[in-house]
Amino acid sequence: QVQLVESGGGLVQAGGSLRLSCAASGRTSSNYAMGWFRQAPGKEREFVATINWSGDYTYYADSVKGRSTISRDNAKNTVYLQMNSLKPEDTAVYYCAAQPVASRRYDYWGQGTQVTVSS
């Protein structure tokens, strides 16, 4: 089992920046790809970004590409999402998730952190 706790959300003006963090605990000795997802009010959860175990592969949704950077520090069991040039449409609850190397899905999820971007 892996427990994930997100932090770093908050209220920011359009054009501002935030860095989200996701701290993992539990069975962190296993290799996991990590992902960020978000869910806006009244909408389905959507993919934001992912990073592989070693950190040398990343992939972004078109909606955040060029404005966001996912990274990880395996020594700290933490994944980050740096978001710049934030827009009101980025307002959502952001979740991190862990995908075991042998799994085709994200098996573990955090509780989420709220990001609100004011215009």
Side-chain angles (χ1 to χ4, degrees), residues 75-99:
K76 296 182 178 180
N77 295 321
T78 302
V79 177
Y80 306 96
L81 182 68
Q82 176 69 42
M83 300 189 295
N84 302 321
S85 302
L86 283 162
K87 306 174 182 179
E89 50 264 43
D90 292 318
T91 295
V93 177
Y94 284 70
Y95 300 90
C96 71
Q99 179 183 24

Side-chain angles (χ1 to χ4, degrees), residues 17-61:
S17 299
L18 281 176
R19 188 175 82 154
L20 306 183
S21 299
C22 173
S25 61
R27 197 172 179 179
T28 56
S29 59
S30 299
N31 293 350
Y32 296 93
M34 298 296 295
W36 284 97
F37 294 77
R38 67 186 183 186
Q39 187 167 19
K43 295 186 177 182
E44 294 188 352
R45 186 170 59 195
E46 64 175 1
F47 166 80
V48 175
T50 187
I51 187 168
N52 68 347
W53 164 252
S54 59
D56 58 3
Y57 173 80
T58 58
Y59 184 79
Y60 299 89

